[in-house]
Amino acid sequence: MKASSNKEGSVQPNVQIKSILQKTFKAIVAFGEVTKGECSLSILEEEGNGNYFRKFDSEGNLLEKEYFNWVGNWVRKYLIQYNENRKRQSIDNYLQVDEKYKLLSKIVYNYDALGLLHSAEIYKPSGLLKTKTIYKYNELGLKEESSELDTTGKIKSKKTFEYDSKEREIKSTLFYGRDLISENPTKEVEILFDIQGWDKIVKEKHGRYFNTITKTYKHKVRTSYYIDKLLTKKSIEISPNVATDEYGFEYQMDMNNNWVERITLKNTIPIEISERAIEYTATP
């Protein structure tokens, strides 16, 4: 990553991040001290559940990411390549089998003259095409349709998108299999943004392949940050009448102002410790 203030922290001039290795452990509290327990999946962090390796090129583009499970064994790896416009050109997806990585699939991305993603092709390890997805956009450059095709070019599924005046997605509609002919939605997702501070209400409606049901999810997430974008507090409310869980974070920083240790607390009680080994490289 380039020397800048970002979610990783502030990097000193002429120094950039080359790689990050992060591991998460259970926090053990005994005799007033917090110590590191066994390797664990992170409660809050989605990226590799808090256990990953990331490698960057000289432009800050992600070249490689690798995940390992709760016992510390590497399980997945992704290798990423970019085109001359610094857009993702392909991703190789590997799974570890018998202590060796085996190629599962390769995704190739194609762009139009405006730089918008036109299609994504997924290939089998043999190199044969498995499926292809084509994207269409409206006059604002917002994705309005995606169609998944099989190897013969026949449409397997189609998904349409609708937006509000603020260009936020408010509805997606999926058509799959025979529903493409009948035009009866297989699944509809509606997102409502209310005026009371709730992030959004999501309603899902499943069509013929499932019982027709409508699910409503409602939640509010409050966050607070340091100036350098380090998360210091996270509050999650399921509804106004349900108790709120408060998550706090304590950090230790390195000389480049990137955190190398983070203790996560749930309602003031330490629950996990995350450690990061960051490799830097000098820039001209």
Side-chain angles (χ1 to χ4, degrees):
M1 292 187 174
K2 289 186 174 181
S4 62
S5 179
N6 51 46
K7 65 184 301 182
E8 304 296 349
S10 299
V11 182
Q12 298 298 324
N14 301 320
V15 174
Q16 63 184 31
I17 295 176
K18 184 178 181 180
S19 66
I20 300 174
L21 173 63
Q22 179 172 321
K23 294 184 178 181
T24 299
F25 306 86
K26 291 182 179 179
I28 299 176
V29 182
F31 306 107
E33 298 289 335
V34 181
T35 58
K36 184 174 61 178
E38 61 185 6
C39 190
S40 173
L41 300 181
S42 175
I43 300 298
L44 295 179
E45 191 164 355
E46 296 182 1
E47 174 72 17
N49 294 116
N51 298 281
Y52 61 79
F53 172 79
R54 291 186 290 188
K55 184 178 180 180
F56 306 89
D57 66 12
S58 59
E59 299 294 329
N61 296 312
L62 180 63
L63 292 178
E64 178 182 337
K65 57 182 178 179
E66 195 168 4
Y67 302 137
F68 51 94
N69 58 22
W70 61 92
V71 296
N73 297 326
W74 296 104
V75 291
R76 298 297 291 268
K77 181 165 71 171
Y78 303 87
L79 299 180
I80 306 167
Q81 292 185 330
Y82 298 83
N83 60 23
E84 63 276 8
N85 296 317
R86 296 178 62 184
K87 292 183 177 293
R88 288 190 179 183
Q89 180 174 298
S90 66
I91 298 179
D92 293 342
N93 175 18
Y94 293 87
L95 174 68
Q96 188 167 114
V97 180
D98 297 330
E99 299 184 353
K100 294 183 179 180
Y101 274 120
K102 179 181 179 181
L103 180 65
L104 288 183
S105 64
K106 184 183 185 74
I107 306 176
V108 177
Y109 300 97
N110 302 291
Y111 301 87
D112 62 19
L114 298 176
L116 298 174
L117 180 63
H118 172 263
S119 65
E121 301 165 344
I122 300 179
Y123 289 88
K124 301 177 182 179
S126 63
L128 296 177
L129 181 66
K130 180 180 180 180
T131 185
K132 180 178 182 178
T133 302
I134 297 177
Y135 302 93
K136 295 182 180 179
Y137 302 85
N138 61 21
E139 63 278 2
L140 298 176
L142 300 173
K143 181 173 61 179
E144 63 179 3
E145 182 180 300
S146 64
S147 299
E148 184 182 6
L149 285 64
D150 63 18
T151 55
T152 67
K154 182 180 179 181
I155 297 179
K156 296 172 56 179
S157 66
K158 182 174 70 173
K159 194 172 186 180
T160 59
F161 305 87
E162 297 179 20
Y163 303 87
D164 64 11
S165 59
K166 296 182 179 180
E167 300 184 3
R168 299 178 299 186
E169 182 183 327
I170 56 174
K171 186 176 182 180
S172 65
T173 306
L174 173 67
F175 301 89
Y176 182 83
R178 286 180 291 176
D179 293 333
L180 288 164
I181 301 175
S182 65
E183 296 186 352
N184 292 319
T186 307
K187 180 180 179 181
E188 289 183 328
V189 178
E190 184 178 2
I191 303 173
L192 306 176
F193 296 88
D194 64 25
I195 60 175
Q196 297 177 344
W198 295 90
D199 288 341
K200 59 185 178 183
I201 305 170
V202 180
K203 296 182 178 181
E204 293 187 18
K205 182 176 181 181
H206 298 267
R208 178 169 53 83
Y209 290 117
F210 306 91
N211 293 328
T212 301
I213 56 176
T214 299
K215 298 179 181 179
T216 301
Y217 305 93
K218 190 171 185 178
H219 69 279
K220 180 189 287 185
V221 177
R222 294 194 182 98
T223 56
S224 58
Y225 300 88
Y226 288 122
I227 295 176
D228 57 8
K229 301 298 183 182
L230 287 178
L231 183 65
T232 57
K233 183 182 291 186
K234 189 180 186 73
S235 303
I236 300 178
E237 296 181 23
I238 304 302
S239 73
N241 299 318
V242 177
T244 298
D245 284 330
E246 297 277 354
Y247 293 90
F249 306 89
E250 298 177 357
Y251 296 91
Q252 289 188 16
M253 314 298 287
D254 66 7
M255 61 181 297
N256 290 307
N257 201 30
N258 282 304
W259 71 265
V260 290
E261 181 181 280
R262 181 183 66 196
I263 299 177
T264 301
L265 305 93
K266 181 179 180 180
N267 300 323
T268 72
I269 299 175
I271 58 172
E272 67 184 32
I273 298 174
S274 298
E275 295 181 342
R276 299 201 305 182
I278 303 177
E279 182 182 6
Y280 297 95
T281 183
T283 59

